[in-house]
Every structure is written in C-alpha cells, then in structure tokens.
Amino acid sequence: MLLFIGACAMVASAYWIGLKGPMLLDDFGNLASVVNWLDGDRSWLSVVFGNHSGVGGRPVSMASFVIDGAIWGKDVWHFKLTNLILHLACGAAVFALYARLAKRDPGLGRHGIWLPMLLALAWMALPIHVSSVLYLVQRMAILSALFTLLALWLFMAARTRIECGDVRGVVGLWFGVPILTTLAFLSKENGALVPLLALVIEFAYFPPAAQRHRPRLVSMFFVITVAVPMLVGAIVIALRPQILLSGYSLRDFSLVERLLTQPRILWDYVAAILLPDAPRLSIFHDNYPKSTGWFSPWTTMPAILGWLAAIAGALRVRKLHPAIIAGMLLFLAGQAMESTVWPLELYFEHRNYLPSIGILLALAGVIDAIAQRLPASTRLFRIAMPMVGALMLLVYVGTTHGRARVWSSMGTFYAQEMRYNPDSPRLRSFLAVESMEAGQLPAALAHIDAAEQSSPPDNRMAQSLWRLLAYCETKTMPPDALYLQLQDRAHGRILSYAANAWELVVQRAEGATCPRLDVRRLTDIGLSWTLRNPLPATTPENWNTRYNVARLLAAQSRLPEAAVLAGHAWEDSNHNIKVGVFLFQINASLGRKQACRAILASLKQDEGRGDYRFDSLMKTFEQTLLSMDTARTPAMGAPSVGSSRSGDQP
C-alpha cells in the first residue's frame, strides 16, 4: 500500500505544473454561474440546481464547484487541485475494482495484488487524461466516473455475497448500486451506464454454473435497469424519431455517417490510450474526417470488421481469459452514450476517462494469455514483463508531465495545438480572438481564412461574421466586399457557430463599440438570413438569431419592427427569459401596457429562483408598469382619457 501511495504521489507531481494553468474554452460558460454566486448575484442553490448543461442538471458536480468557491474564492489553482485529488481518488477506486476482478479471473488472479496495482497506476498516469484533469469543467466526467467505479466495486462485492447466499449482497445490489448510480448520473449523464457496465461484469465473471440458472434477483435487476429502459427508449424513438434526428439538422454529418465514423474513432481512442503521441493527444478534433460510405475513407470497413473480429475472438476465450472480453465490452459500453446515435460532436478525448479502464484490463488479459502459452521455462518473459510494465508506467508519467507543462499556460497550450493540429477550425477561431484582442487585424484574418479552408461549406457564414468581428475589434472600417460576402452567404441552415458569431457582432453594434459598422445594412442581411433559413422556427439557433436581429432594429430606434420580430422569437423560444426581458423593454418604450403586463406575468414564473439580478429586474419592471398606470390615470376633475389606445395592443 505504501508503494501505491508513493506512486500516486509521483503521478500527482507529474500533474503539478499544470495546476497553474488558466481556465480554458468551455470553462467560462459552464462556470459563469459560480462566478455570479461569488459576486453576490446568485444564490448557491440556484447554481447547484440551475445548471442546464445536461438532462440531469449535474447538481453534484456543480455543488463541488460551489464548495471550492466557498473555500478558495476564484482561485483557479485550487479548483484544478480538486480535480487532481478526485482523479487520484478514481485511481484508488480503479485499483479496488481491478483487485476484485482479478480474484475471479483464473489468469490475472495468479499475479496477486501487483498486477491490479500496476494497472491502476498506469490508468492514473495515462497522458490522455490530462485533458480531463486539467480542464476544469471535465470535473463532471471525473465525478461521474468516481461514483461509477464505486458502484461497480459494490456490484462485485454484492454479487459475490449473493453467490454465497448472503442477504447483504441483495441489499447492496438493489439499494447501494442504485444510490451510487444516481450520484454518478447527477454528476454527468454517463452515470446512467452503470447497470450496463455491471451487466458486462456479470457476463464475463459470473457465468451460471452447470445445471443452474442465474439468481432470480440478479436477473430481475438487469431486466429492470437495462432491458426495460432500452426497450422504452427504443419505443419512444420509434414513435417520435425527431427526438433523435432533430439534432442532426445542425450538424455537418448524418446519423449514418456518425455510426460509420465511430468505429474508426474508437480504434483511434485505443491507440491514444496505449501509445500516446503529441499529434494524437489534442482537444481539437473538430476536423476529424467523417466516413461517408463503407469505404470512404477506406479504413471505415476494416475498422468495423476489426471490432467484430476482436469481440468474436474475445468471446472464444471468455472462460479461460475473461479479462479480454470484460475489458473490451467495458470500453465499448462506456462509450455507448457519447459515441453511438446521439448527435454529439464526433470526437472528444474526455470520453475515454472511464472506458480506458477496459482497454488496460483487456491488454492485461491478452498479455496473460500469451504468457500462458509460452513454455514454463521461459523465465526471461516472466522477468521482462514486470520490467516492461514499470518502464511503460514511467513513460506514461513522463508524457503526462509534458502535457501538463503544455497546459500550464495559454501560450504553450495554443502553441502545441497549432504545431500538431493547424487545420482545426475551432483552434483557429480561438487564435483569431487572441489576435483581435491584441489589435492584430492581419493575423486575425489569416486565422479566419485558415479556418474557412478546413470548414464545411455550411459554416462559411460564421467565418464571414468572424471577419466582421475582427474589423470591429481592431477599430477598422469593414470593406464593402465583406458586406457583399455576408449578403451572399446569408442563406441555408443557421449553425451554432454562425449564430454565436452573429450575437457577438450584435453586441458590438448595440453597445456602439464598433462605430464604423453599417448597422442598417447588417440588419437587412440579418432579416434576409432569417427568412431564408430552412430550420424549424423553434430551433434555438433560429429564434436566437431573430432575437438578435430585433436588437439591431431596436438599436436603430425601429421599435415597432423590433417588437414584432422579438415577439415571434418569444413564442418560438417557449418564453425564453432573455427574449422576454428585451420584449418587455421594447413594449414599455412603445407604451404598450397590456403587452408588458402579459410578458411580466410570464417572466415572474422564474422569479425567486436565486438569480438576484433577475429578481431585481422584475421589481424594476413592476415599477415601470405602475408608472405607466400613473401616467394614464387622469387627475381629479380633469377630462377622462379613453381607455383604449393603439399602443396598448401587443
């Protein structure tokens, strides 16, 4: 145990330099509510339970950020230290789980506690995990993995007790495992995969004995937690396929293309886990080539056949070497939520944080199977393998330290990414922002040009908008050719990148921070864009763009037009708060009291939920309505004013 603790300290030291790194990318948006709470603008309860980054809201993860904030304030170093501590805790849980599995494995069990310890240390030191540990927002994945590992360890313990007829095993299976599963799910939605992962372990390590069936309580557990949810999900999707397919309307790949691409990506994940090298280890994979057919690219079919062959081979040796099939299926099952049918981005490193335990387990099973087939007198192999394992661990630690050093500053981070992945449009967009902030217009435009060359045709509107932002940020008048380019590209689907860029442009125009911007011309382009957009009106990118065009209209004092467009966005967004606030202000400026009253009644349903700024705004709106009433109430003895005015109509 002291050796394990010492090795954990070595892993921690490899990460240490990276703790001083800044917040990056999605950290800002996901942790904005924590910053608002620290600034006194929100309650901690609204931060914990008001997150919308996942179906479950991820309150456990958000609570951990709140605790960090309560202790350390806005000190990013300590937030990242918490990530590292949780990573080490996951490593201890991996060790405990591997040890449990090894006891039931006829091959791995003969190596004693040393093999589970080496595998757990290797897992902690995997360089691919740097982008989870040092990327603050990925604490959600780490916490979900921690509770999942604890749930699987408890499942192993409970299942062993059930096998021995101990009633405590039933309690652990039916109460302990679901509780830990819930905590994993409330950290991140991947936690819902716990029953499926437990089913893999059941299949590999608890085969029914001869002439005996699997215990009824165990079978019922998997029917309720795996079979029933999968059946219900399949029925719901069959009846309402848009639940699944609607997300693909905003992607540059289809469901079929995603399913064809994932086998290649999964093999790439395996290579990145076991044989890390700088070009493969990156968080920017938005330019990963998709598969458009069985042989386009040609590696698509071999990747699919490779997985089928690997699974078939593992099944053949399941009884003698259960670690191979267990590890392989743990990896694939761990990817089931993020690497299958759902319209998520194709490739992300952090998806391997938990599934990588399966790859190491399968590798150990393969090596053990080879060792058993060698002559018993081959002492060289028995001596060499531990040395190779220790050497590989040192290589992992050294590579992890190198990656942590890269993550220690924004400069080294972007320099490394630029060196190995210069064709990433997303990377180029971040570099363009840096150049804009430095006032370097030519450099910003060069990055945007490079991003456009690597982007799909649908995303060209986003690149044009980024060019406009570059001129704005550097206080330079945009050329007439750029407006013509925007006008030419203002059609087709409004993708999220373009919608976000449009909002940034509108913010500059609204705040008069881009004085040389032709706002009227830009407004006409925006109106044309929204009319020529084929997406459903309720799509966020659609109504949000119309809302931002309405802001441009308001900035030009074209209030009636702004009210009409914002009103459509208000209805199509199902009464989004920011749209409602804007619409109230427009109608108040137009003196439309009845419209303001209806909007305020809807907005007040969100009052008292811990957003102090919003609550204060609601009080201001109430005072505005009172002022409007007072202004319309005739003084005593004065002539009565008609109760109906055209301005009262919404």
Side-chain angles (χ1 to χ4, degrees), residues 173-174 215-226 228:
L173 178 65
W174 283 89
R216 183 180 298 274
L217 286 174
V218 175
S219 298
M220 287 179 60
F221 176 81
F222 287 117
V223 168
I224 293 173
T225 61
V226 179
V228 171

Side-chain angles (χ1 to χ4, degrees), residues 398-556:
T399 307
T400 292
H401 176 69
R403 283 205 84 193
R405 184 177 292 277
V406 167
W407 279 68
S408 65
S409 73
M410 195 77 77
T412 54
F413 175 79
Y414 282 132
Q416 174 84 349
E417 295 288 350
M418 186 63 181
R419 179 180 179 185
Y420 291 110
N421 196 16
D423 295 330
S424 164
R426 183 171 298 163
L427 170 62
R428 289 289 191 166
S429 69
F430 286 113
L431 293 172
V433 170
E434 281 205 330
S435 298
M436 291 180 207
E437 292 174 347
Q440 300 170 351
L441 178 60
L445 293 176
H447 286 304
I448 296 168
D449 290 343
E452 182 169 320
Q453 292 176 12
S454 303
S455 297
D458 279 357
N459 212 28
R460 288 178 178 171
M461 182 63 171
Q463 311 306 334
S464 296
L465 288 167
W466 275 105
R467 290 189 181 95
L468 193 60
L469 278 169
Y471 281 101
C472 280
E473 293 301 302
T474 56
K475 309 300 181 185
T476 307
M477 179 179 291
D480 184 71
L482 182 53
Y483 289 104
L484 294 175
Q485 184 183 86
L486 283 165
Q487 187 173 344
D488 181 60
R489 294 179 174 183
H491 61 84
R493 297 179 301 163
I494 301 177
L495 301 182
S496 57
Y497 297 121
N500 293 337
W502 177 256
E503 183 156 11
L504 292 173
V505 170
V506 171
Q507 288 174 0
R508 272 58 175 182
E510 195 177 48
T513 57
C514 189
R516 299 188 177 186
L517 188 68
D518 190 337
V519 178
R520 179 170 289 274
R521 194 172 182 182
L522 186 64
T523 305
D524 292 340
I525 291 171
L527 288 169
S528 174
W529 194 22
T530 56
L531 290 173
R532 300 164 70 187
N533 166 40
L535 293 176
T538 54
T539 305
E541 287 74 8
N542 192 327
W543 61 254
N544 195 56
T545 301
R546 281 182 280 128
Y547 154 70
N548 282 309
V549 175
R551 291 169 63 184
L552 285 179
L553 290 167
Q556 301 167 72

